[in-house]
Amino acid sequence: MSTAVIVFPASNCDRDAAVALEKVTGKPPRMVWHKDTSIPDDVRFVVVPGGFSYGDYLRSGAIAANSPVIRDLKDKSEAGLPVLGICNGFQILTEAGMLPGALMRNANQKFVCRISRLRLANAKTRFTSQYDAKHEIDVPVAHHDGNYFADDETLRRIEGGGQVVFRYSENPNGSRNDIAGIVNASGNVLGMMPHPERAVDTVHGGTDGITLFKSIVGSL
Amino acid sequence: MIARVYVGLKPGVLDPQGRTIAASLNDLGFDEVQDVTQGKIIELKLASGERDTVEARVKEMCERLLANTVIESYRIELDEEEE
Amino acid sequence: MIARVYVGLKPGVLDPQGRTIAASLNDLGFDEVQDVTQGKIIELKLASGERDTVEARVKEMCERLLANTVIESYRIELDEEEE
Amino acid sequence: MARKKKSEITPEIVAEHGLSEDEYAIVLDRLGREPNLTELGIFSVMWSEHCSYKSSRRHLGKFLTTSDRVIQGPGENAGVIDIDDGDAIVFKMESHNHPSFIEPYQGAATGVGGIMRDVFTMGARPIALMNALRFGEPGHPKTKALVSGVVAGIGGYGNCVGVPTVGGETNFHPGYNGNILVNAMCVGLARTDNVFYSAAKGVGNPIFYVGSKTGRDGIHGATMASAEFDDDSEEKRPTVQVGDPFTEKLLIEACLELMATDAIIAIQDMGAAGLTSSSIEMADKGGVGIALNLDKVPQRETGMSAYEMMLSESQERMLMVIQPGKEKLAFQVFEKWELDVAEIGTTTDTGRLVLTHKRKTVCDIPIAPLADDAPNYDRPHEPTAPREILKPDEVDEPADYNDALIQVMTDPDMASKRWIWEQYDRHVMADTVDSSQSGGDAAIVRIHGPDGPTDKAVAITTDCTPRYCYADPVQGGRQAVAESWRNLTCVGANPVAITDCLNFGNPERSEIMGQFVGCIEGMNEACRAFDYPVVSGNVSLYNETNGVAIPPTPAVGGVGLIPDLTLVQSLGGARPGDTLILIGATEGWLGSSIFLRALQNREDGAPPPVDLQAERHNGDYVRKLIRNRRVRAVHDLSDGGLAAAACEMAFASGIGMELINPSELPAHAWYFGEDQARYLISTDGNSVNPILTTADGLGVPAMIVGKAGGTRLKAKGAFDVSLDGLRGRWEQWMPELMSGATETV
Ligand SMILES: Nc1ncnc2c1ncn2[C@@H]1O[C@H](COP(=O)(O)OP(=O)(O)O)[C@@H](O)[C@H]1O
Ligand SMILES: [Mg+2]
């Protein structure tokens, strides 16, 4: 069994994601180049990492969402392959239509990097099953376009379906309903703005992110 | 041939950028400013072709890349004259 | 009164954004795309006033805030009709 | 080459190129003929202050530049130090002052891009960025826009490339109203056996151009950085360079990928004066000639002349000499990363720079005079007159000490800079151990080797106190180096080496040159006292507007090594019941202090003297205490003295502090005096006696000055304020400034 991290031009959290995956699985993930047309068959879990794919030109994640590898990822995720999109990865997944809604410029127009406290809105997903539902977790955010938007109807649908997974205790970017992370309707694709891979080691000042990787890897 | 694509937020989508600009202009003493919205213009220089085909192609570009139709709407203008 | 301000990079200024969009459109098979530039359109809703005065005020807004005149140029269009 | 009419190069043209009559006479002499315009342009940028260091060269030569850890000192793109196990740290600081004043976002962004290229050119992956910023007074009409543009630009570039911006410093002073300072530092990680240099070697080797295409960006940028501003210069803006962090990221990955092979003989980034200075520096260092075919240069615009191509400062470009036979490999790697790449020339044995354009030779000049015979001036320098020493009793005590504390902690230089550093990605790369967010003295970044994270880390800080440098350049120079050394000490690091960015006014004025020479003298004394060499740096002169110079600002970027991550120290570990111990002697030095400025609007008085022996002694002792795990929190005393250090420790630890004044000094001198070589440490009861006794034996002054606990900041005979209340004021100052809600403090 393998895991994989997708690498776009100007991905910059690809190594961080790989380190976190190796920590949890004991095996370095496959690094899949954006021009590859398919994800290797033995891959059981894929991380679309943070960064500024294509410089975030046009819209964050828009150009990456059109790459060959994302087309393949979309097909495989529809067949059940678990996918985690972090930060720019979340933006890419919404742009690719793999998750509902869109990520707009932060309400105050500024990049924000801080430790954000998150509430678990759904601790029963494959990505959160090992968290204590009552606990809040500390995970860093670092983004310019993390302001989650979905129209009223979509919002009602994802709230009603338990698709909201993380909420900010203190909203850093203007996201509707304080949404920090969501899953798709089948629960195998998670997108989140905070960076769990930056909270997996005591030197990071906290390890609340590791449980997410443990949960999903444990479910494979 | 030049195609100009105007991309703006759909009505109902909050435009924090526009709001910030409006507030800044008011701060600077431009009290007459009541509301601001900001959009993008993407100007494409294209190999010439039949107007209808070109328009259809540009529409496809918008749907696939240039606009995020979850939050944005777009409008296309064609200009046969090379600038 | 509506004022539309078109802001774009001055000729000769590097436009990495436009270049990247063009390359991406080509990658998607839109080979007819030769060049792309991206600009902004800022639409201002203003208290009505004399056309000339309004224009002068909008010009001032551009110089002070809306355009970065070191690298950008702008063009103003006035539209008396409220939309 | 076609002989040009004698009239082509008029005295006006020579003057426009910033060359003096004497300098032009040397050009004529070395060429034995008149230059054409392209050649003149090349001489002019090479002999500009920015590229030739003509006013500063002889003084920089005095610096200590070696130690057993120095692999490469000044003279290359960046300095290199050995941090054991085959790892090397590569670092440098650079200014982008003038461009940032004209276009704050792009100016600052391209400054960050430029300094990163200096570092990865040497074969290092950039792992951390720092920024040292100086703005005009907060209420000046331009300040807010400059602050927001510069900060957004720094973040916009560094965040996108994915290198964490982990720390910095920010001052506000009317002396920078017309001339802000934007100094950026980059730290990179390489392997000692795979460091790359710029000397072009061999004859007939291919020269590759890689990166973005060349446009008409920033032509004359190098001469702009070497000329004073006047009110008109905002009108005569040359084309501003625009940064493309996306391309930079690709360039880093591509260069590092090719560097892992043996394809590169020499490499040099195209910084100021682009193709000109990169090709000439490579040729000069390698003792070879260079022939370039400019038709092959990737161009963004049509109709570019040879002059424009040679002087363009388009960003994100590199020049390299490739091992013959490896051309294909080089093309493959750069094309994989979708970068523009072209073979544009070869090395030659002529010792000349020969350029062809449209089948004509457009330049044929000897390289040696361009580099070696560049002017090297011994400009007259007048030492700064010493100031009177202000005794504590010559300074009025404040009527209300609570108010005094608030004034000091909300002074523009003291207030929290969260508004700035929250716009910087401080965690990307997942190796940041400590950064601005702790308010700590130095940032800490773990070394992440080829086999994963290690237990080693580097500590990084930037420091300079311009008001001391202005009052007394020698003491100010010492203090800048000493503070950086202290800050590294405070986090448990062994200070290793520094880089610097020397920002001064017009060197043709003897009092400015006196500041320059004085600061260097002081810095160098400190470097020698601490065995703390200078391995790289940058000089930025002519920082003045309408004849008013900035305060002398020799920014120091210090790097230290933390051999074991478990011994990392911070200022945030104080616990209720801890004893506070002050290390170092206190005379109550209020001259040139924050207290004097914040409360009495005065900037007079001699600054605190820096006793280098005491610094070394006290610092070595503090580091030993950290290594022996004797302390819970450590912070050095600098701006604002003991009171400020205690507040900052309290904010970081989340508990109150209660200070006492065991001295004979009046409260204002004891609590706010800025005597140097001092540290505040917080420790548990059991360690107090051993710490004091050992200090006594070593002759290190140490005394109990209070205890930690509670929710208030109290000082006997002075203030008593709530921790949260003061923290709120301290945190709010900058957001309020930037929202325009309040005026200056
Ligand atoms: N421009 C900046 N960028 C990032 N961090 C900054 C900046 N300015 C100040 N800081 C941070 O604020 C804290 C206090 O800075 P400073 O007062 O200069 O520290 P010190 O006096 O200990 O050298 C430090 O942690 C520093 O890194
Ligand atoms: Mg300090």
Side-chain angles (χ1 to χ4, degrees):
Chain A
M1 182 206 84
S2 290
T3 59
V5 176
I6 300 195
V7 185
F8 294 100
S11 287
N12 59 34
C13 306
D14 43 339
R15 189 187 73 178
D16 312 358
V19 169
L21 283 175
E22 183 169 353
K23 214 177 168 89
V24 171
T25 63
K27 184 174 158 194
R30 291 172 176 274
M31 305 304 279
V32 179
W33 184 239
H34 69 113
K35 288 223 163 136
D36 293 356
T37 42
S38 87
I39 293 170
D41 284 338
D42 66 335
V43 168
R44 295 287 170 271
F45 171 48
V46 176
V47 176
V48 186
F52 286 80
S53 55
Y54 299 94
D56 274 355
Y57 297 137
L58 188 62
R59 288 182 314 277
S60 296
I63 296 178
N66 280 288
S67 63
V69 76
I70 292 294
R71 250 165 275 150
D72 185 57
L73 183 69
K74 192 171 177 180
D75 291 345
K76 293 206 161 97
S77 75
E78 279 161 13
L81 179 69
V83 177
L84 166 63
I86 303 168
C87 196
N88 196 217
F90 186 14
Q91 294 159 348
I92 293 168
L93 297 182
T94 56
E95 283 282 348
M98 292 168 63
L99 287 170
L103 291 146
M104 312 202 343
R105 177 101 330 167
N106 294 347
N108 73 354
Q109 307 293 304
K110 286 193 204 54
F111 190 96
V112 61
C113 175
R114 67 170 67 135
I115 311 292
S116 61
R117 181 147 296 180
L118 304 179
R119 294 196 305 269
L120 280 147
N122 183 349
K124 295 205 181 86
T125 73
R126 289 178 74 175
F127 299 89
T128 51
S129 56
Q130 297 188 19
Y131 283 106
D132 177 342
K134 292 188 292 290
H135 278 172
E136 295 189 327
I137 59 172
D138 287 333
V139 184
V141 289
H143 58 247
H144 210 163
D145 298 296
N147 182 352
Y148 183 77
F149 175 87
D151 58 36
D152 295 341
E153 193 196 313
T154 310
L155 208 56
R156 251 192 313 273
R157 196 180 68 233
I158 63 174
E159 288 285 5
Q163 284 178 249
V164 176
V165 180
F166 297 110
R167 265 186 242 280
Y168 302 108
S169 293
E170 240 178 90
N171 193 333
N173 53 27
S175 287
R176 293 196 79 179
N177 293 10
D178 301 325
I179 289 173
I182 54 169
V183 281
N184 62 351
S186 7
N188 66 317
V189 178
L190 170 67
M192 62 192 294
M193 288 315 293
H195 286 272
E197 81 285 13
R198 297 188 192 180
V200 297
D201 190 327
T202 47
V203 313
H204 296 155
T207 56
D208 285 345
I210 195 96
T211 313
L212 189 150
F213 291 98
K214 283 186 179 155
S215 303
I216 181 67
V217 169
S219 82
L220 296 176
Chain B
M1 169 112 73
I2 302 281
R4 271 186 217 92
V5 178
Y6 298 86
V7 182
L9 289 176
K10 284 184 175 167
V13 179
L14 195 71
D15 177 10
Q17 206 148 344
R19 245 189 7 200
T20 307
I21 297 173
S24 304
L25 286 171
N26 292 155
D27 276 354
L28 287 173
F30 296 104
D31 297 324
E32 68 267 45
V33 177
Q34 295 165 346
D35 193 22
V36 176
T37 53
Q38 185 179 315
K40 285 186 269 203
I41 321 177
I42 301 163
E43 193 167 299
L44 308 158
K45 204 173 150 200
L46 303 168
S48 46
E50 277 293 319
R51 205 183 166 86
D52 286 356
T53 351
V54 171
E55 181 145 12
R57 293 279 286 178
V58 175
K59 184 148 190 273
E60 205 189 324
M61 294 179 207
C62 289
E63 293 286 333
R64 285 189 61 190
L65 184 71
L66 300 179
N68 178 346
T69 50
V70 176
I71 46 173
E72 293 170 330
S73 57
Y74 62 89
R75 183 164 60 77
I76 299 170
E77 246 177 37
L78 291 188
D79 192 343
E80 322 255 336
E81 249 159 295
E82 303 266 332
E83 279 182 291
Chain C
M1 170 113 70
I2 302 281
R4 273 188 215 90
V5 177
Y6 299 85
V7 183
L9 286 176
K10 285 184 178 168
V13 176
L14 176 71
D15 179 9
Q17 176 132 316
R19 212 190 41 202
T20 309
I21 298 171
S24 169
L25 286 170
N26 292 155
D27 276 354
L28 287 175
F30 296 105
D31 297 324
E32 68 268 45
V33 177
Q34 296 164 346
D35 194 21
V36 175
T37 54
Q38 187 182 311
K40 281 185 283 200
I41 168 166
I42 300 161
E43 193 167 299
L44 306 158
K45 202 172 151 200
L46 302 169
S48 48
E50 277 291 316
R51 203 182 168 87
D52 286 356
T53 350
V54 170
E55 180 145 15
R57 293 278 286 179
V58 175
K59 186 151 188 271
E60 207 188 322
M61 296 179 206
C62 290
E63 294 284 333
R64 290 186 58 189
L65 184 76
L66 301 180
N68 175 351
T69 52
V70 180
I71 51 175
E72 293 172 331
S73 57
Y74 61 89
R75 188 165 56 80
I76 299 169
E77 249 176 35
L78 291 188
D79 192 344
E80 321 256 335
E81 251 159 293
E82 304 266 334
E83 279 183 287
Chain D
M1 137 172 350
R3 288 292 299 186
K4 303 280 173 184
K5 290 191 309 262
K6 204 173 167 61
S7 57
E8 196 195 27
I9 307 296
T10 62
E12 291 73 40
I13 290 180
V14 174
E16 265 171 33
H17 281 77
L19 288 172
S20 71
E21 279 174 37
D22 292 346
E23 288 166 352
Y24 187 58
I26 303 175
V27 175
L28 293 176
D29 176 66
R30 298 299 191 269
L31 287 187
R33 61 173 166 84
E34 254 191 20
N36 62 32
L37 195 62
T38 303
E39 294 167 336
L40 181 75
I42 290 174
F43 271 97
S44 104
V45 293
M46 286 307 293
W47 288 5
S48 70
E49 190 68 58
H50 193 82
C51 291
S52 74
Y53 288 83
K54 59 192 170 191
S55 304
S56 59
R57 210 147 84 230
R58 62 184 57 234
H59 302 288
L60 300 177
K62 300 172 197 162
F63 275 134
L64 171 71
T65 58
T66 55
S67 78
D68 21 346
R69 287 200 180 272
V70 176
I71 295 175
Q72 174 65 53
E76 276 289 339
N77 285 303
V80 185
I81 57 174
D82 188 334
I83 57 158
D84 305 325
D85 316 307
D87 294 321
I89 286 292
V90 178
F91 66 104
K92 186 172 186 247
M93 179 155 42
E94 200 161 69
S95 66
H96 233 209
N97 304 336
H98 292 76
S100 302
F101 187 74
I102 291 173
E103 211 309 276
Y105 185 97
Q106 294 297 343
T110 52
V112 172
I115 193 62
M116 270 198 273
R117 283 194 295 285
D118 275 333
V119 165
F120 72 78
T121 302
M122 306 282 303
R125 176 174 289 281
I127 60 169
L129 291 164
M130 300 281 288
N131 63 118
L133 310 178
R134 265 91 199 175
F135 297 105
E137 57 195 322
H140 187 275
K142 286 207 168 111
T143 298
K144 272 175 23 174
L146 288 167
V147 171
S148 59
V150 163
V151 170
I154 290 172
Y157 207 99
N159 299 346
C160 185
V161 173
V163 178
T165 301
V166 292
E169 54 176 341
T170 313
N171 292 162
F172 294 86
H173 191 277
Y176 304 103
N177 279 352
N179 207 310
I180 61 170
L181 302 184
V182 175
N183 296 173
M185 174 175 172
C186 180
V187 177
L189 175 64
R191 296 293 292 171
T192 50
D193 60 3
N194 205 33
V195 173
F196 286 78
Y197 298 97
S198 57
K201 294 211 187 74
V203 169
N205 293 336
I207 296 176
F208 271 56
Y209 169 116
V210 182
S212 292
K213 291 185 170 64
T214 296
R216 293 188 174 92
D217 310 281
I219 291 175
H220 274 172
T223 39
M224 168 172 82
S226 309
E228 272 180 53
F229 270 6
D230 50 43
D231 284 334
D232 285 351
S233 43
E234 275 182 80
E235 304 307 316
K236 309 181 233 153
R237 285 159 177 162
T239 324
V240 168
Q241 305 129 284
V242 169
D244 178 7
F246 173 52
T247 298
E248 178 103 338
K249 169 71 174 168
L250 303 184
L251 204 49
I252 293 177
E253 299 304 331
C255 287
L256 292 177
E257 191 171 321
L258 194 61
M259 282 165 165
T261 73
D262 54 0
I264 299 177
I265 296 176
I267 174 165
Q268 168 76 39
D269 69 297
M270 295 192 223
L275 203 45
T276 294
S277 70
S278 56
S279 56
I280 288 168
E281 272 169 39
M282 285 176 95
D284 178 58
K285 285 198 182 121
V288 299
I290 274 190
L292 300 179
N293 178 356
L294 296 180
D295 300 322
K296 298 224 172 126
V297 170
Q299 294 161 49
R300 195 173 82 226
E301 295 176 65
T302 50
M304 289 189 71
S305 67
Y307 178 94
E308 289 171 326
M309 269 187 264
M310 290 308 287
L311 268 54
S312 160
E313 295 195 345
S314 292
Q315 301 287 299
E316 293 95 19
R317 300 180 301 161
M318 307 287 261
L319 200 63
M320 46 193 95
V321 180
I322 296 292
Q323 195 81 50
K326 302 281 176 176
E327 293 92 336
K328 243 207 188 120
L329 174 65
F331 274 114
Q332 256 167 27
V333 169
F334 294 124
E335 280 162 6
K336 167 184 163 196
W337 289 98
E338 297 179 25
L339 293 161
D340 274 296
V341 49
E343 187 179 333
I344 64 166
T346 53
T347 54
T348 65
D349 60 2
T350 61
R352 299 177 78 81
L353 177 70
V354 180
L355 305 175
T356 46
H357 186 221
K358 301 193 167 147
R359 295 210 197 81
K360 280 206 208 92
T361 301
V362 291
C363 164
D364 183 354
I365 53 180
I367 284 165
L370 277 167
D372 304 346
D373 298 355
N376 180 353
Y377 296 130
D378 189 2
R379 304 223 188 254
H381 42 93
E382 183 81 31
T384 304
R387 286 194 186 174
E388 207 136 330
I389 294 172
L390 269 186
K391 301 221 185 58
D393 57 15
E394 292 165 355
V395 178
D396 291 340
E397 282 200 58
D400 178 347
Y401 270 97
N402 285 350
D403 177 61
L405 184 67
I406 293 167
Q407 294 296 323
V408 165
M409 293 310 290
T410 56
D411 176 273
D413 288 356
M414 302 296 296
S416 168
K417 301 301 180 304
R418 178 186 297 274
W419 188 93
I420 294 176
W421 50 253
E422 276 204 339
Q423 296 185 53
Y424 300 152
D425 190 336
R426 304 178 302 282
H427 312 127
V428 61
M429 299 186 92
D431 288 307
T432 302
V433 181
D434 203 355
S435 70
S436 314
Q437 75 199 38
S438 75
D441 287 301
I444 304 172
V445 177
R446 173 172 64 182
I447 298 301
H448 193 124
D451 305 322
T454 70
D455 289 334
K456 275 190 308 197
V458 284
I460 314 163
T461 177
T462 66
D463 295 281
C464 177
T465 312
R467 61 180 193 282
Y468 296 167
C469 296
Y470 183 66
D472 181 338
V474 178
Q475 294 296 348
R478 287 179 172 195
Q479 198 274 342
V481 174
E483 185 172 348
S484 78
W485 190 83
R486 282 202 303 263
N487 283 341
L488 297 176
T489 296
C490 285
V491 299
N494 298 319
V496 177
I498 65 170
T499 181
D500 64 55
C501 193
L502 307 175
N503 307 276
F504 290 81
N506 179 349
E508 294 160 46
R509 305 212 327 239
S510 62
E511 73 276 17
I512 301 292
M513 206 54 208
Q515 294 173 342
F516 184 75
V517 173
C519 282
I520 287 186
E521 185 184 323
M523 290 169 73
N524 195 27
E525 286 169 1
C527 289
R528 288 178 193 272
F530 306 147
D531 190 21
Y532 188 38
V534 178
V535 296
S536 58
N538 172 247
V539 177
S540 171
L541 300 174
Y542 297 94
N543 288 291
E544 45 185 80
T545 300
N546 298 331
V548 183
I550 57 158
T553 312
V556 170
V559 172
L561 177 61
I562 299 177
D564 177 356
L565 266 176
T566 62
L567 293 171
V568 156
Q569 185 60 53
S570 87
L571 81 172
R575 289 191 218 153
D578 275 7
T579 300
L580 300 174
I581 294 176
L582 178 66
I583 303 286
T586 305
E587 284 176 38
W589 203 280
L590 289 170
S592 292
S593 66
I594 292 281
F595 174 87
L596 205 57
R597 180 173 83 191
L599 275 102
Q600 303 188 12
N601 211 9
R602 290 166 60 186
E603 300 199 1
D604 59 322
V610 181
D611 177 340
L612 297 169
Q613 265 350 91
E615 287 282 359
R616 173 128 210 185
H617 237 70
N618 301 354
D620 287 346
Y621 182 54
V622 169
R623 204 173 313 106
K624 201 165 100 191
L625 293 175
I626 295 170
R627 293 283 153 84
N628 294 339
R629 303 177 199 274
R630 279 291 187 196
V631 291
R632 286 202 174 127
V634 179
H635 191 21
D636 80 314
L637 271 61
S638 53
D639 286 351
L642 175 62
C647 289
E648 287 162 359
M649 188 177 281
F651 295 157
S653 302
I655 55 167
M657 305 244 151
E658 207 169 314
L659 299 172
I660 53 168
N661 176 1
S663 76
E664 308 277 277
L665 292 167
H668 66 332
W670 171 254
Y671 291 117
F672 296 105
E674 295 183 2
D675 308 66
Q676 298 293 297
R678 297 189 301 162
Y679 300 81
L680 181 65
I681 61 184
S682 178
T683 185
D684 68 294
N686 293 334
S687 294
V688 175
N689 279 330
I691 290 175
L692 294 177
T693 317
T694 315
D696 196 37
L698 292 168
V700 170
M703 65 171 89
I704 293 173
V705 296
K707 57 179 198 271
T711 58
R712 300 190 71 78
L713 289 156
K714 293 191 207 176
K716 221 178 182 145
F719 47 82
D720 180 357
V721 303
S722 97
L723 175 67
D724 288 343
L726 184 65
R727 197 213 312 255
R729 301 285 294 262
W730 176 74
E731 286 284 11
Q732 269 317 299
W733 181 83
M734 194 145 183
E736 275 171 17
L737 169 73
M738 296 312 292
S739 78
T742 49
E743 297 297 311
T744 70
V745 170

